[in-house]
Amino acid sequence: MGSVSDTAADPLAVEHESRGLSHSTFAAFRSKPFTLLWANTITFALSQSIQQFTFAWLAIEIGEGGAQLWSGFTVGEGTLLGLVIAALGLPILLFGLYAGILADRLDRRLLLFGSQGAGIAITAGAATLVAMGSLNIWGVLALAFVLGSAVAFGMPVRQAIVPSLVPPERVLNAS
């Protein structure tokens, strides 16, 4: 049996033997489209957190001291906050499977741009309604659900687009 120096080593096998950070750890970033997607994902995560915080704050501000959802049914601030957070997250549960199907069948780049554009439009619409003073709890719930739907359709695209942005031998490194 030959020694390691006698045989030609597979570069991918050698880089995984060390199990630590190495030059190949960030090899996927050599692909400019992947680097741009990564930067976009970081920006998206920050903006999504800000949007969630803003909608939660709106629920607390509008529902200060409780709010009447319909005749004879009043709920407190905490319940309103929970309803808004649920409205943001429920579309992921409801539409996640369908969004994955669309990510496989449609142009992923357009679907990603569309979902982000929809999120921007929804947020701008909410800001306009707040500035006009015409946003009630039902409006906050509806906007939160629509915003959650835009996020739900963008999430699978971010995962499905990676193999088309990096060379095949770097897909696991980029995932």
Side-chain angles (χ1 to χ4, degrees):
M1 178 177 250
S3 68
V4 174
S5 61
D6 294 339
T7 60
D10 177 19
L12 292 177
V14 170
E15 76 182 39
H16 294 309
E17 285 180 17
S18 64
R19 297 283 187 219
L21 284 180
S22 69
H23 179 55
S24 64
T25 301
F26 302 104
F29 287 100
R30 291 184 195 137
S31 167
K32 184 177 179 180
F34 176 75
T35 303
L36 292 173
L37 176 69
W38 188 82
N40 175 268
T41 301
I42 295 295
T43 306
F44 171 75
L46 290 172
S47 66
Q48 184 183 10
S49 297
I50 292 168
Q51 288 169 333
Q52 289 174 345
F53 176 80
T54 303
F55 273 88
W57 191 350
L58 278 173
I60 291 171
E61 286 290 319
I62 290 174
E64 190 173 352
Q68 185 172 355
L69 292 181
W70 54 79
S71 181
F73 188 70
T74 304
V75 295
E77 295 172 19
T79 302
L80 290 175
L81 179 60
L83 288 172
V84 168
I85 298 299
L88 284 166
L90 186 63
I92 295 170
L93 178 67
L94 296 176
F95 306 131
L97 180 63
Y98 303 108
I101 292 169
L102 284 178
D104 288 339
R105 297 180 190 259
L106 298 177
D107 183 0
R108 293 178 181 131
R109 188 182 57 185
L110 292 177
L111 194 55
L112 184 61
F113 287 145
S115 68
Q116 286 194 264
I120 291 168
I122 294 160
T123 304
T128 302
L129 290 172
V130 167
M132 292 173 25
S134 60
L135 190 62
N136 61 16
I137 193 60
W138 287 107
V140 172
L141 287 169
L143 287 168
F145 186 83
V146 175
L147 180 62
S149 299
V151 170
F153 281 93
M155 284 176 54
V157 176
R158 292 182 185 284
Q159 296 168 353
I161 203 169
V162 170
S164 64
L165 300 178
V166 296
E169 65 271 8
R170 294 291 173 211
V171 170
L172 290 177
N173 179 256
S175 297

PDB file of all heavy atoms in Angstrom, residues 1 3 8 21 28 37 40 48 50 66 117 127 136 153 156 159-160:
ATOM      1  N   MET A   1       0.854  -1.176   0.000  1.00  0.00           N
ATOM      2  CA  MET A   1       0.000   0.000   0.000  1.00  0.00           C
ATOM      3  C   MET A   1       0.890   1.225   0.000  1.00  0.00           C
ATOM      4  O   MET A   1       1.821   1.325   0.788  1.00  0.00           O
ATOM      5  CB  MET A   1      -0.895  -0.034   1.224  1.00  0.00           C
ATOM      6  CG  MET A   1      -1.786   1.179   1.321  1.00  0.00           C
ATOM      7  SD  MET A   1      -2.880   1.036   2.726  1.00  0.00           S
ATOM      8  CE  MET A   1      -4.399   0.791   1.897  1.00  0.00           C
ATOM      9  N   SER A   3       2.000   5.293   0.302  1.00  0.00           N
ATOM     10  CA  SER A   3       1.788   6.359   1.273  1.00  0.00           C
ATOM     11  C   SER A   3       0.938   7.454   0.633  1.00  0.00           C
ATOM     12  O   SER A   3       0.701   7.463  -0.564  1.00  0.00           O
ATOM     13  CB  SER A   3       3.125   6.922   1.749  1.00  0.00           C
ATOM     14  OG  SER A   3       3.745   7.599   0.673  1.00  0.00           O
ATOM     15  N   ALA A   8      -2.223  10.334  -5.834  1.00  0.00           N
ATOM     16  CA  ALA A   8      -2.815  11.649  -6.094  1.00  0.00           C
ATOM     17  C   ALA A   8      -4.075  11.773  -5.256  1.00  0.00           C
ATOM     18  O   ALA A   8      -4.984  10.951  -5.351  1.00  0.00           O
ATOM     19  CB  ALA A   8      -3.136  11.794  -7.572  1.00  0.00           C
ATOM     20  N   LEU A  21     -11.735  25.253   9.781  1.00  0.00           N
ATOM     21  CA  LEU A  21     -11.764  26.304   8.787  1.00  0.00           C
ATOM     22  C   LEU A  21     -10.532  26.195   7.911  1.00  0.00           C
ATOM     23  O   LEU A  21      -9.424  26.024   8.392  1.00  0.00           O
ATOM     24  CB  LEU A  21     -11.780  27.671   9.455  1.00  0.00           C
ATOM     25  CG  LEU A  21     -13.095  28.119  10.063  1.00  0.00           C
ATOM     26  CD1 LEU A  21     -12.936  29.494  10.691  1.00  0.00           C
ATOM     27  CD2 LEU A  21     -14.198  28.151   9.039  1.00  0.00           C
ATOM     28  N   ALA A  28     -17.228  28.882  -2.007  1.00  0.00           N
ATOM     29  CA  ALA A  28     -18.441  29.229  -2.750  1.00  0.00           C
ATOM     30  C   ALA A  28     -18.519  30.723  -3.026  1.00  0.00           C
ATOM     31  O   ALA A  28     -19.155  31.148  -3.983  1.00  0.00           O
ATOM     32  CB  ALA A  28     -19.677  28.776  -1.988  1.00  0.00           C
ATOM     33  N   LEU A  37     -26.145  36.921  -3.761  1.00  0.00           N
ATOM     34  CA  LEU A  37     -27.298  36.304  -3.089  1.00  0.00           C
ATOM     35  C   LEU A  37     -27.095  36.307  -1.587  1.00  0.00           C
ATOM     36  O   LEU A  37     -28.016  36.588  -0.825  1.00  0.00           O
ATOM     37  CB  LEU A  37     -27.532  34.877  -3.590  1.00  0.00           C
ATOM     38  CG  LEU A  37     -28.652  34.122  -2.867  1.00  0.00           C
ATOM     39  CD1 LEU A  37     -30.012  34.714  -3.207  1.00  0.00           C
ATOM     40  CD2 LEU A  37     -28.613  32.643  -3.210  1.00  0.00           C
ATOM     41  N   ASN A  40     -27.648  39.715  -0.294  1.00  0.00           N
ATOM     42  CA  ASN A  40     -29.072  39.994  -0.341  1.00  0.00           C
ATOM     43  C   ASN A  40     -29.810  39.274   0.786  1.00  0.00           C
ATOM     44  O   ASN A  40     -30.732  39.824   1.376  1.00  0.00           O
ATOM     45  CB  ASN A  40     -29.642  39.585  -1.704  1.00  0.00           C
ATOM     46  CG  ASN A  40     -31.141  39.734  -1.753  1.00  0.00           C
ATOM     47  OD1 ASN A  40     -31.871  38.788  -1.461  1.00  0.00           O
ATOM     48  ND2 ASN A  40     -31.599  40.920  -2.115  1.00  0.00           N
ATOM     49  N   GLN A  48     -36.469  41.982   7.257  1.00  0.00           N
ATOM     50  CA  GLN A  48     -37.602  41.183   7.731  1.00  0.00           C
ATOM     51  C   GLN A  48     -37.753  41.318   9.241  1.00  0.00           C
ATOM     52  O   GLN A  48     -38.864  41.433   9.752  1.00  0.00           O
ATOM     53  CB  GLN A  48     -37.421  39.722   7.341  1.00  0.00           C
ATOM     54  CG  GLN A  48     -38.612  38.865   7.716  1.00  0.00           C
ATOM     55  CD  GLN A  48     -38.389  37.389   7.391  1.00  0.00           C
ATOM     56  OE1 GLN A  48     -37.289  36.971   7.052  1.00  0.00           O
ATOM     57  NE2 GLN A  48     -39.436  36.618   7.503  1.00  0.00           N
ATOM     58  N   ILE A  50     -36.878  43.914  11.019  1.00  0.00           N
ATOM     59  CA  ILE A  50     -37.410  45.255  11.245  1.00  0.00           C
ATOM     60  C   ILE A  50     -38.903  45.292  10.945  1.00  0.00           C
ATOM     61  O   ILE A  50     -39.689  45.887  11.691  1.00  0.00           O
ATOM     62  CB  ILE A  50     -36.639  46.293  10.398  1.00  0.00           C
ATOM     63  CG1 ILE A  50     -35.207  46.423  10.914  1.00  0.00           C
ATOM     64  CG2 ILE A  50     -37.346  47.644  10.400  1.00  0.00           C
ATOM     65  CD1 ILE A  50     -34.286  47.189   9.988  1.00  0.00           C
ATOM     66  N   GLY A  66     -56.397  47.253  24.846  1.00  0.00           N
ATOM     67  CA  GLY A  66     -57.326  46.283  24.270  1.00  0.00           C
ATOM     68  C   GLY A  66     -58.037  46.850  23.062  1.00  0.00           C
ATOM     69  O   GLY A  66     -58.056  48.061  22.851  1.00  0.00           O
ATOM     70  N   GLY A 117     -40.081  42.611  -4.039  1.00  0.00           N
ATOM     71  CA  GLY A 117     -40.805  43.802  -4.461  1.00  0.00           C
ATOM     72  C   GLY A 117     -42.163  43.904  -3.776  1.00  0.00           C
ATOM     73  O   GLY A 117     -42.589  44.995  -3.364  1.00  0.00           O
ATOM     74  N   ALA A 127     -46.785  51.948   5.791  1.00  0.00           N
ATOM     75  CA  ALA A 127     -46.252  53.233   6.254  1.00  0.00           C
ATOM     76  C   ALA A 127     -47.165  54.387   5.833  1.00  0.00           C
ATOM     77  O   ALA A 127     -47.401  55.321   6.609  1.00  0.00           O
ATOM     78  CB  ALA A 127     -44.845  53.444   5.705  1.00  0.00           C
ATOM     79  N   ASN A 136     -56.266  50.424  11.152  1.00  0.00           N
ATOM     80  CA  ASN A 136     -56.842  49.813  12.348  1.00  0.00           C
ATOM     81  C   ASN A 136     -56.259  48.406  12.514  1.00  0.00           C
ATOM     82  O   ASN A 136     -55.429  47.965  11.724  1.00  0.00           O
ATOM     83  CB  ASN A 136     -58.375  49.781  12.266  1.00  0.00           C
ATOM     84  CG  ASN A 136     -58.870  48.965  11.091  1.00  0.00           C
ATOM     85  OD1 ASN A 136     -58.136  48.185  10.491  1.00  0.00           O
ATOM     86  ND2 ASN A 136     -60.137  49.153  10.756  1.00  0.00           N
ATOM     87  N   PHE A 153     -43.265  32.996  -0.238  1.00  0.00           N
ATOM     88  CA  PHE A 153     -42.947  32.670  -1.622  1.00  0.00           C
ATOM     89  C   PHE A 153     -41.491  32.972  -1.967  1.00  0.00           C
ATOM     90  O   PHE A 153     -40.980  32.475  -2.961  1.00  0.00           O
ATOM     91  CB  PHE A 153     -43.905  33.386  -2.580  1.00  0.00           C
ATOM     92  CG  PHE A 153     -45.228  32.706  -2.671  1.00  0.00           C
ATOM     93  CD1 PHE A 153     -46.281  33.091  -1.863  1.00  0.00           C
ATOM     94  CD2 PHE A 153     -45.414  31.645  -3.532  1.00  0.00           C
ATOM     95  CE1 PHE A 153     -47.502  32.448  -1.927  1.00  0.00           C
ATOM     96  CE2 PHE A 153     -46.633  30.987  -3.608  1.00  0.00           C
ATOM     97  CZ  PHE A 153     -47.674  31.395  -2.800  1.00  0.00           C
ATOM     98  N   PRO A 156     -38.355  29.579  -0.328  1.00  0.00           N
ATOM     99  CA  PRO A 156     -37.866  28.410  -1.055  1.00  0.00           C
ATOM    100  C   PRO A 156     -36.958  28.774  -2.229  1.00  0.00           C
ATOM    101  O   PRO A 156     -36.068  28.012  -2.591  1.00  0.00           O
ATOM    102  CB  PRO A 156     -39.138  27.721  -1.562  1.00  0.00           C
ATOM    103  CG  PRO A 156     -40.245  28.296  -0.804  1.00  0.00           C
ATOM    104  CD  PRO A 156     -39.807  29.640  -0.339  1.00  0.00           C
ATOM    105  N   GLN A 159     -33.252  28.977  -1.367  1.00  0.00           N
ATOM    106  CA  GLN A 159     -32.585  27.677  -1.241  1.00  0.00           C
ATOM    107  C   GLN A 159     -32.443  26.998  -2.599  1.00  0.00           C
ATOM    108  O   GLN A 159     -31.420  26.381  -2.887  1.00  0.00           O
ATOM    109  CB  GLN A 159     -33.374  26.789  -0.287  1.00  0.00           C
ATOM    110  CG  GLN A 159     -33.408  27.341   1.115  1.00  0.00           C
ATOM    111  CD  GLN A 159     -34.421  26.641   1.994  1.00  0.00           C
ATOM    112  OE1 GLN A 159     -35.191  25.821   1.528  1.00  0.00           O
ATOM    113  NE2 GLN A 159     -34.424  26.978   3.269  1.00  0.00           N
ATOM    114  N   ALA A 160     -33.440  27.128  -3.443  1.00  0.00           N
ATOM    115  CA  ALA A 160     -33.427  26.419  -4.722  1.00  0.00           C
ATOM    116  C   ALA A 160     -32.508  27.068  -5.752  1.00  0.00           C
ATOM    117  O   ALA A 160     -32.083  26.402  -6.690  1.00  0.00           O
ATOM    118  CB  ALA A 160     -34.853  26.348  -5.283  1.00  0.00           C
TER     119      ALA A 160
END
